[in-house]
Amino acid sequence: QLTTLSTSSGDNVSISTSPLIDSVRIVGFTFNNTSQRGIAGYNGVFVVDGCKFSTVVGPYVHFSGNTTSGTIRNSVFVPGSGAAASGILLDSYPHLVLYRNVFYGAPKSPLVEVASGTATVINNTFANCFTALVLRLSGGDADTAYNNIFLNISGDAIRVENASIIEGYNVFYANDNNAFGFSPSPTSIISDPLLVDTAGFDFSPGVGSPCINSGHPDAIYNDPDGTRSDIGAIPSACNLL
């Protein structure tokens, strides 16, 4: 059962832990109507799982300090009646993992900004938003982006500055610019993903979608049913929202 956190000012959740020791899991919350951040994490290891962020001025999630890693998975990010100042922000060289999240409709600022650190971005859907993914100052390690959908992005779908990226098996469609600072892999697809109903928040691939069974062929990326990965956050014939 989801628990809703709503507030008119301040962060919904602000956590500081002992660096390199403590692990924090935030599971199944809905974050609504805060003038600051949804989650502010400092130090330690953070996992955000199955949460929904709506009308958060931003960032939705901010990891900094001595945070060693942050994982955000199975979550939904929508701006509601407002617009996020930024979506997910990393600094101070942590590592971010984004897995099976939907980012929809933030019109003003990048949805995911890695100001310093590295990111592994696997099976997410970015739709109807401003620049989706900004990667800066990777600290020597390459960022990774596989099996993501970038749809109707007003700006750069992926922007790489002073960093390197391993990119492939993504779908790009109807974006102002698919890539800045690198060339998309030939394994990526430029085609309509044919999602069922984005306006109705059904982001699963429909009949004939080029996303079906077109993700990275390594078995570690397989869909929950054991078949080759679909591209995007939601596998075919499955709506988790």
Side-chain angles (χ1 to χ4, degrees):
Q1 180 178 357
L2 291 177
T3 300
T4 299
L5 295 179
S6 298
T7 180
S8 59
S9 63
D11 302 331
N12 282 142
V13 176
S14 182
I15 301 171
S16 180
T17 70
S18 300
L20 309 180
I21 298 174
D22 293 325
S23 179
V24 176
R25 292 174 55 85
I26 301 170
V27 180
F29 282 88
T30 296
F31 295 86
N32 283 335
N33 301 320
T34 175
S35 65
Q36 298 295 324
R37 295 165 291 192
I39 297 173
Y42 306 91
N43 307 329
V45 177
F46 290 86
V47 176
V48 178
D49 193 353
C51 293
K52 182 176 181 179
F53 297 79
S54 176
T55 323
V56 176
V57 172
Y60 294 119
V61 181
H62 182 196
F63 293 135
S64 62
N66 290 320
T67 299
T68 55
S69 68
T71 297
I72 302 173
R73 61 195 183 203
N74 306 315
S75 295
V76 180
F77 297 81
V78 295
S81 59
S86 59
I88 297 171
L89 175 63
L90 267 75
D91 52 34
S92 301
Y93 293 96
H95 179 70
L96 173 69
V97 176
L98 295 179
Y99 179 68
R100 293 200 183 279
N101 303 289
V102 172
F103 301 87
Y104 180 81
K108 290 188 176 181
S109 297
L111 276 173
V112 178
E113 183 172 358
V114 181
S116 61
T118 57
T120 300
V121 184
I122 308 292
N123 280 104
N124 300 276
T125 297
F126 301 86
N128 292 23
C129 59
F130 189 66
T131 294
L133 182 59
V134 177
L135 305 171
R136 298 188 177 103
L137 297 175
S138 64
D141 296 323
D143 300 292
T144 303
Y146 288 146
N147 303 347
N148 303 286
I149 295 172
F150 298 91
L151 173 64
N152 194 28
I153 309 298
S154 59
D156 302 316
I158 305 177
R159 184 179 185 91
V160 176
E161 302 175 357
N162 300 315
S164 58
I165 186 171
I166 302 169
E167 178 272 338
Y169 302 95
N170 298 298
V171 167
F172 299 93
Y173 186 69
N175 306 315
D176 284 354
N177 186 41
N178 293 329
F180 178 93
F182 73 101
S183 297
S185 165
T187 63
S188 288
I189 300 168
I190 300 177
S191 180
D192 189 339
L194 297 176
L195 302 182
V196 171
D197 182 13
T198 58
F201 293 95
D202 185 346
F203 294 90
S204 58
V207 175
S209 170
C211 300
I212 296 174
N213 296 330
S214 297
H216 198 293
D218 194 310
I220 65 172
Y221 301 107
N222 280 358
D223 283 338
D225 64 1
T227 61
R228 179 173 171 173
S229 177
D230 295 344
I231 297 174
I234 312 298
S236 58
C238 179
N239 185 8
L240 302 180
L241 304 185

